Amino acid sequence: MYEQPQLKEMYITDLTLSMTNPRFPREVKSEAEAILTFFQLKKVGPGKIMSLIEDIVETGIVLENFIVLKKDGEFIVHDGNRRLTALKLLYNNTSEIIKNDYPKVYENLKIMKENFDVRKLKLNVQVYTDSNSMANHVAKLHSGEQNGKGQINWDSNEKDTFNSQHLNQPLGLGNLIYKKLEKTAEKRELYNKLQKGSFATTLNRIFGYSNIRKRIFQLDRGLKVDLTDSVHFNKICEMIEFFISKNATVADVYTAEMASNFFEEIKPISQGNPEGKEIEGNPEGKEIEGNPEGKEIEG
């Protein structure tokens, strides 16, 4: 039977960084060494720490609970050490630790500390006295889905939908494509194929490239692909079918040049041809000599 953690409100001065953080390549001997090690880790580094500090200062809260083991009178953090590092750097003269190696972060911290008193920030903490119970909790937080026991992360569609519902952010084109396909009866088979992968951000990428919009959709700079236009929508579906048929991934279209090469076989929408049909003798949809505007030819 595992111990139930005790929920507490605590302050930065109550908490101690772990010296045995699994992210560290070796055990450290002090909090100062732990902070410097976070800065040196490729997966963390000064940029991500600074971003976290900025978020804490801007919102005035730390979103997640700290998981703590009470041992020998100390409250040692075993989940939340990166957050605690950010807080420690806002406290008193702790930032002197990074002054020489990370002067830009140090200068930014000086400015932030003038307008933010980290000592008053209440932190939500789950305190264990049994190390096995603490370890069970932390392991489940960091071990993926575990057949439902752990957290199931949102895919790009789900993130986009949440941001639209609650943060007043417009849905990305990729998510809009999913929703349009789902509601279009004759495209249900394509929708089901698309559902097998998570392609929303990849679709955002593909149809956001200016060279794709210009060559295939015949759009001037700044104009976007229009899902309400049946010709655009059919061309989008054609490109998605092609993408899926090649078992492609984002790696195949990661840059504008790669996407252009990948979709080289896709013919452009014909100018002056609203149904998107090929003009006989002009399969590439090129302008007809003497008719640069792509207007219909009389007769």
Side-chain angles (χ1 to χ4, degrees), residues 209-227:
Y209 288 135
S210 60
N211 57 347
I212 294 290
R213 297 200 310 266
K214 182 177 181 181
R215 185 187 77 80
I216 297 179
F217 292 88
Q218 305 288 296
L219 293 170
D220 293 331
R221 183 181 292 275
L223 295 180
K224 297 180 180 179
V225 176
D226 183 2
L227 274 179

Side-chain angles (χ1 to χ4, degrees), residues 248-267:
T249 69
V250 66
D252 295 294
V253 293
Y254 198 72
T255 67
E257 183 179 2
M258 292 170 69
S260 183
N261 292 335
F262 182 85
F263 289 109
E264 188 176 10
E265 296 178 31
I266 302 295
K267 295 176 182 178

Side-chain angles (χ1 to χ4, degrees), residues 66-83:
F66 292 88
I67 310 301
V68 167
L69 179 66
K70 185 179 181 183
K71 185 178 180 180
D72 299 330
E74 280 192 303
F75 294 92
I76 302 168
V77 171
H78 285 273
D79 185 73
N81 278 282
R82 190 169 58 92
R83 282 166 269 148

Side-chain angles (χ1 to χ4, degrees), residues 38-51:
F38 266 119
F39 272 76
Q40 293 159 2
L41 290 175
K42 287 184 179 180
K43 287 180 70 174
V44 184
K48 290 182 180 178
I49 292 175
M50 197 63 214
S51 179

Side-chain angles (χ1 to χ4, degrees), residues 109-116:
L109 282 166
K110 280 174 61 177
I111 297 169
M112 289 183 179
K113 286 194 290 186
E114 291 175 1
N115 302 302
F116 187 79

Side-chain angles (χ1 to χ4, degrees), residues 19-28 33-34 36-38 40-42:
M19 305 295 119
T20 58
N21 193 308
R23 295 187 191 274
F24 295 169
R26 62 187 178 282
E27 187 174 338
V28 300
E33 191 179 350
L36 281 173
T37 302
F38 266 119
Q40 293 159 2
L41 290 175
K42 287 184 179 180

